[in-house]
Amino acid sequence: MELIKKRILSLLSDKALSVSRASTLLNMPQRTLNRQLNEGGNVSMELICAINKYFPEVSIEWILNGNGNMYRSNCNTMGSIQNVSPYYNSITVSA
């Protein structure tokens, strides 16, 4: 889980986004995003889905397991989240 957090923080850094600005773009409360990324909370499925929705050029496979590049070379966003559904079993979903 810590590696997923590091990759999400790398993404935010690459896009020059603060947690505050990212929370606005991802339509998540800043406190929730900060807790998930910086305070030991678990990364939620809501966050993974929001990243997939608002940053379709980002490889969800890279975020979840580190395979490939941060950005997908072929940005066909149709069904991208379904392609990594086997990885969801290892993610703790928090309320």
Side-chain angles (χ1 to χ4, degrees):
M1 188 63 66
E2 289 301 313
L3 293 175
I4 292 172
K5 291 178 188 184
K6 286 181 183 181
R7 287 189 287 270
I8 293 171
L9 289 170
S10 291
L11 169 66
L12 297 184
S13 176
D14 192 66
K15 292 193 167 284
L17 293 173
S18 65
V19 171
S20 176
R21 179 70 179 129
S23 70
T24 300
L25 289 173
L26 298 173
N27 198 28
M28 293 184 77
Q30 180 180 349
R31 177 76 181 117
T32 300
L33 187 57
N34 193 53
R35 186 174 57 245
Q36 287 182 29
L37 297 178
N38 299 316
E39 297 177 6
N42 290 321
V43 173
S44 68
M45 183 58 63
E46 177 185 10
L47 175 55
I48 300 296
C49 289
I51 290 170
N52 188 62
K53 179 178 179 181
Y54 293 103
F55 302 116
E57 71 280 9
V58 172
S59 169
I60 295 300
E61 227 177 312
W62 174 80
I63 288 181
L64 294 176
N65 63 27
N67 290 342
N69 297 315
M70 181 186 297
Y71 295 102
R72 295 187 289 143
S73 57
N74 178 4
C75 194
N76 176 7
T77 60
M78 295 303 292
S80 59
I81 198 110
Q82 290 86 0
N83 294 336
V84 295
S85 61
Y87 303 111
Y88 290 158
N89 294 330
S90 64
I91 296 177
T92 304
V93 178
S94 57

